Amino acid sequence: MKIAIAATLVGSAAAFAPTASFGVRNSALNMATEAATEKAFAKLPATVKPGVVTGQALVDLLDAAKEQGYAIPGVNIVGSNSINACMEAAAKYGGPIMVTFSKGGGQFIAGKSLNNDADQASIAGTIAGARHVHEVAKLYGVPVVLHTDHCQKAWLPWIDGLLAASEEHYAKEGFPLFSSHMLDLSEEPLEENIAICKSYLEKFAKIGILLEFELGVTGGEEDGVDNSDVDSSRLYTQPEEVYYAYEQLSQVPNGAFTCAASFGNVHGVYAPGNVDLQPIILYNSQKYIQEKIGSDDDKPMKFVFHGGSGSSVEDIQYAIGAGVIKMNIDTDTQWAFWDGVRAYEAKYRDYLQGQIGNPEGPEKPNKKYYDPRMMLRAGEESMAARLCKAAEDLKCTNVLN
């Protein structure tokens, strides 16, 4: 948008200015255009730059992931510590990262003491977290996708508030505050689910926000979404359902979307044998859509993998082969953060029993040990290390340069 504005100004000036003056302005415009198209990452399209990725750049990034055979870690966060751990990890493993806000996570960022009857705390906290990411993401030198997680029908006012913030941001900056939003209307009939998603996608498309939608149900419980007792048949999406959604959403001009199709995946982590993943469903769905639309692309749908914590590497990479371009991670990273804090406490326990007095002497101060930044940093480092392992499983390492 800024380049377009510059072009208009140059064109207006040319009618009244000497040729030499126009040449200076034209050179400046060419330099700006070249800067915009210069590749920041050797292995990614030129549209993808360090920092928050939105609009066409996000579509190009996800297309690259699908074509090159990797998936991006999508990580639920609860504050600046977990946000920063995500971007630190991405810088270490050399790939993109998706920072994901839940409704509860947004509320936690704003402050749990606040009234949230009308989702005002969830909205404010999610926006505050997103602005933090925009301010620091470029410093990490990686592409960052700003995403929101499961939004049920009753929670749509939360998304409405975030959409309003993105529309305001777009009017000022030329791009939205958020990269993408997930609508989880899987509890509703298929037709209603997709009709609501389509109405939101029409709004999203106008400002370059991608829609993630859910078909079937992801089992288990996560951050206020409890499907622990759902009928097992609803854990498996049918190809006809995926095609119906694809056909309907493809009617939206400039619409971009991904599908969280259920193939037995469950939130949380469980003992081996308790979860029956069937990623073959994703392959079957791709083939069904391809045949229906007569496409040369054998992966017309971009899939996302929910409930990835605790999944085997074999299942993860088999799903990536079916067009999965993002996998959600929450349970494993929550444990990793806590494990870092736990290990810090265990290591310095004798220094954490009082403000004064430790093994080095009864009058020795302990401030540098109980400074909250010390244990929080230990949590960040542990979480970042776990995400680097996740990126290896997702084949998302060294995919920038």
Side-chain angles (χ1 to χ4, degrees):
M1 177 174 281
K2 291 179 180 177
I3 293 174
I5 293 172
T8 302
L9 292 174
V10 169
S12 301
F16 305 99
T19 303
S21 176
F22 174 74
V24 172
R25 288 177 171 83
N26 200 36
S27 297
L29 175 61
N30 289 338
M31 291 174 64
T33 303
E34 290 172 4
T37 57
E38 184 179 349
K39 285 174 73 73
F41 304 110
K43 296 180 181 178
L44 292 178
T47 54
V48 182
K49 308 292 185 184
V52 176
V53 179
T54 64
Q56 188 59 48
L58 174 57
V59 173
D60 292 344
L61 173 63
L62 300 184
D63 283 341
K66 187 175 73 168
E67 292 165 7
Q68 297 172 28
Y70 62 87
I72 301 169
V75 189
N76 284 66
I77 58 81
V78 294
S80 61
N81 296 107
S82 46
I83 289 172
N84 295 347
C86 288
M87 295 186 288
E88 178 181 348
K92 288 180 177 178
Y93 64 69
I97 187 75
M98 185 174 290
V99 174
T100 305
F101 295 83
S102 67
K103 181 172 174 286
Q107 181 185 8
F108 190 82
I109 291 171
K112 288 287 285 185
S113 67
L114 294 178
N115 187 314
N116 199 37
D117 289 347
D119 297 326
Q120 63 269 41
S122 291
I123 292 168
T126 306
I127 291 171
R131 287 176 175 159
H132 169 78
V133 176
H134 274 276
E135 285 296 321
V136 302
K138 287 183 182 179
L139 301 179
Y140 287 88
V142 297
V144 179
V145 181
L146 259 177
H147 182 62
T148 61
D149 208 3
H150 295 267
C151 178
Q152 302 172 353
K153 186 176 180 180
W155 295 354
L156 287 173
W158 172 52
I159 294 298
D160 293 337
L162 304 183
L163 177 58
S166 271
E167 289 171 339
E168 181 180 348
H169 196 270
Y170 184 89
K172 294 178 179 178
E173 304 291 344
F175 55 89
L177 186 64
F178 293 91
S179 308
S180 53
H181 295 299
M182 182 199 182
L183 301 187
D184 179 2
L185 304 171
S186 55
E187 293 184 358
E188 315 306 324
L190 176 64
E191 292 76 12
E192 182 180 0
N193 175 352
I194 301 307
I196 295 174
C197 285
K198 188 175 181 181
S199 69
Y200 272 87
L201 182 57
E202 288 168 349
K203 301 172 187 176
F204 292 173
K206 293 177 182 178
I207 58 174
I209 293 177
L210 178 142
L211 167 72
E212 178 183 320
F213 66 97
E214 178 150 342
L215 295 176
V217 174
T218 302
E221 189 275 333
E222 179 184 57
D223 210 350
V225 180
D226 190 351
N227 293 321
S228 303
D229 299 322
V230 71
D231 186 282
S232 61
S233 64
R234 297 184 63 196
L235 300 178
Y236 301 94
T237 304
Q238 299 306 307
E240 293 83 359
E241 297 172 321
V242 181
Y243 170 68
Y244 175 79
Y246 181 92
E247 186 270 333
Q248 288 293 310
L249 297 178
S250 293
Q251 296 173 12
V252 178
N254 301 315
F257 53 87
T258 60
C259 175
S262 299
F263 52 97
N265 31 335
V266 176
H267 288 135
V269 61
Y270 299 86
N274 286 356
V275 177
D276 181 21
L277 288 179
Q278 296 290 335
I280 188 66
I281 289 173
L282 305 183
Y283 285 87
N284 292 341
S285 296
Q286 296 283 29
K287 183 178 180 182
Y288 188 87
I289 297 172
Q290 182 186 21
E291 292 175 352
K292 280 287 188 179
I293 66 176
S295 173
D296 293 332
D297 186 355
D298 62 352
K299 300 171 190 172
M301 180 67 89
K302 296 183 185 74
F303 284 118
V304 299
F305 185 162
H306 278 241
S309 293
S311 300
S312 71
V313 175
E314 293 74 19
D315 279 337
I316 290 170
Q317 296 188 351
Y318 185 64
I320 290 172
V324 165
I325 46 78
K326 185 260 289 190
M327 186 180 82
N328 282 19
I329 309 169
D330 185 19
T331 306
D332 286 353
T333 47
Q334 285 182 343
W335 172 260
F337 196 100
W338 156 247
D339 200 38
V341 174
R342 181 204 57 76
Y344 176 83
E345 189 280 333
K347 181 176 180 180
Y348 296 108
R349 182 168 298 162
D350 291 341
Y351 296 82
L352 298 169
Q353 303 309 306
Q355 289 184 286
I356 302 292
N358 61 47
E360 298 174 21
E363 297 182 357
K364 291 287 186 179
N366 294 318
K367 186 179 185 303
K368 68 178 180 181
Y369 297 101
Y370 63 76
D371 182 333
R373 290 172 294 184
M374 301 300 290
M375 65 173 181
L376 290 172
R377 179 58 186 152
E380 290 177 353
E381 291 174 331
S382 180
M383 180 175 170
R386 179 62 184 85
L387 280 173
C388 287
K389 173 61 171 64
E392 291 179 12
D393 297 344
L394 296 170
K395 301 194 283 187
C396 193
T397 60
N398 301 314
V399 297
L400 302 180
N401 295 302

